[in-house]
Amino acid sequence: MEIPTMMLAMVLDAPRHPLRAMRVPVPHPNPEQVLIQVHACAVCRTDLHIVDGELTEPKLPLIPGHQIVGTVIQMGERVNQFKLGDRVGVPWLGYTDGTCRYCLRGQENLCDHPLFTGYTLDGGYAEYAAAYQQYCFHLPESFRDVEVAPLLCAGLIGYRTYRLAGEHVERLGIYGFGAAAHIIAQVAVHQGKHIYAFTSPGDTQAQEFARRLGAVWAGSSTEMPPDKLDAALIFAPIGPLIVAALRATVKGGVVVSGGIHMSDIPSFPYGLLWEERVIRSVANLTRQDGEEFFKIAPQVPVKTEVQVFSLEQANDALSRLRQGQIQGAAVLELP
Ligand SMILES: [Zn+2]
Ligand SMILES: [Zn+2]
């Protein structure tokens, strides 16, 4: 196929400015990269944190977007895990050095010299994107492009968050019922867990959505659930939810925060943490998370609820996400 020289992209010039639709050069893949024709790119809350300046070290100008689905149309000379025409997915973690102490002990998600798709590498709010083969995934065929795109972050990070809650969980609380929650709730229900969904006070629509996905209880984050939780996953960027979740867990309960950014956690009495309760965070993902999750997702099978926008509507998708008006996940679809 003829590779064009220029492409349409939505570009962030500076934080707290809307993205600008621009013609920019199509990236050249380096020897370890594939060039992807983008079919879909899901919109993540992290994209909002970048655009809004809460994540402070983006490359600029930047093409955001780290849940990319597309077809390989060109390959760097050392690419050997993919071939032309393969459908691939690209997640948030876009590169690791493979040599630092974290990489060497199997914690590549904590690499000292990582690059992140749509943050320190250009991402998928564009017609084409270059990505390191090391962090591209083959995608299960049963999913359409727009359905599988949200699995690349909401799904993968959601899965890691869920996994870190531990194995002995029967009653699982999920705080913040957006993209990640709606995916991971389906996996958890499939694995026999009882889901307790917590939304912003008064968001009866999200509570209804949670019940429809199999939650045994759905209510406001200011409420106590009818039963104490074995673990809680926090997907809303609101620090006080950590304390609320601790209050709702049993002895030895685990509270896992899946987000990359959160408002401050208020101080709380030690009694809430006592009895071996655990608070932990999730950073990035490992390739193993991806491989596991893309095996499980078609077995469930996970059904993603998506609201589709065109590439040029990226600002609209971001502002609706900011205002809590997206049910499930927002996805940019390219023709
Ligand atoms: Zn490393
Ligand atoms: Zn994300």
Side-chain angles (χ1 to χ4, degrees), residues 56-69:
T56 54
E57 307 287 332
K59 80 177 268 295
L60 288 172
L62 171 73
I63 301 173
H66 58 268
Q67 306 183 79
I68 308 172
V69 178

Side-chain angles (χ1 to χ4, degrees), residues 14-218:
R16 291 174 294 280
H17 286 75
L19 307 181
R20 214 149 49 91
M22 288 177 68
R23 307 288 307 171
V24 300
V26 171
H28 286 290
N30 74 23
E32 288 291 343
Q33 288 179 322
V34 292
L35 179 67
I36 296 164
Q37 180 173 12
V38 179
H39 301 318
C41 185
V43 177
C44 178
R45 183 165 290 280
T46 300
D47 301 342
L48 261 191
H49 293 318
I50 295 167
V51 171
D52 291 346
E54 289 155 344
L55 292 186
T56 54
E57 307 287 332
K59 80 177 268 295
L60 288 172
L62 171 73
I63 301 173
H66 58 268
Q67 306 183 79
I68 308 172
V69 178
T71 306
V72 174
I73 57 165
Q74 197 182 6
M75 302 192 297
E77 62 209 32
R78 288 205 291 276
V79 171
N80 52 13
Q81 293 163 31
F82 298 94
K83 57 186 192 320
L84 293 178
D86 280 357
R87 184 170 78 149
V88 296
V90 186
W92 167 248
L93 185 59
Y95 168 85
T96 55
D97 58 16
T99 56
C100 75
R101 62 196 300 256
Y102 298 99
C103 284
L104 292 177
R105 64 188 192 201
Q107 293 176 304
E108 61 185 357
N109 60 310
L110 303 179
C111 178
D112 273 337
H113 304 101
L115 292 171
F116 298 108
T117 314
Y119 184 48
T120 51
L121 291 166
D122 276 331
Y125 288 17
E127 292 175 299
Y128 300 90
Y132 285 89
Q133 66 162 346
Q134 186 190 15
Y135 287 98
C136 289
F137 294 108
H138 290 285
L139 299 172
E141 280 171 17
S142 51
F143 293 96
R144 292 187 299 128
D145 296 334
V146 294
E147 294 169 339
V148 77
L151 300 187
L152 282 155
C153 188
L156 287 182
I157 301 287
Y159 178 69
R160 185 172 176 84
T161 308
Y162 170 64
R163 196 165 67 71
L164 294 188
E167 284 176 10
H168 307 294
V169 175
E170 285 169 28
R171 294 190 293 256
L172 179 69
I174 301 184
Y175 287 73
F177 215 85
H182 98 284
I183 293 168
I184 232 51
Q186 296 173 57
V187 175
V189 167
H190 178 72
Q191 296 183 346
K193 319 287 187 201
H194 291 187
I195 300 296
Y196 297 75
F198 298 82
T199 71
S200 347
D203 193 347
T204 50
Q205 224 185 335
Q207 290 165 15
E208 188 44 48
F209 182 42
R211 282 190 209 99
R212 198 147 45 79
L213 292 174
V216 296
W217 178 89

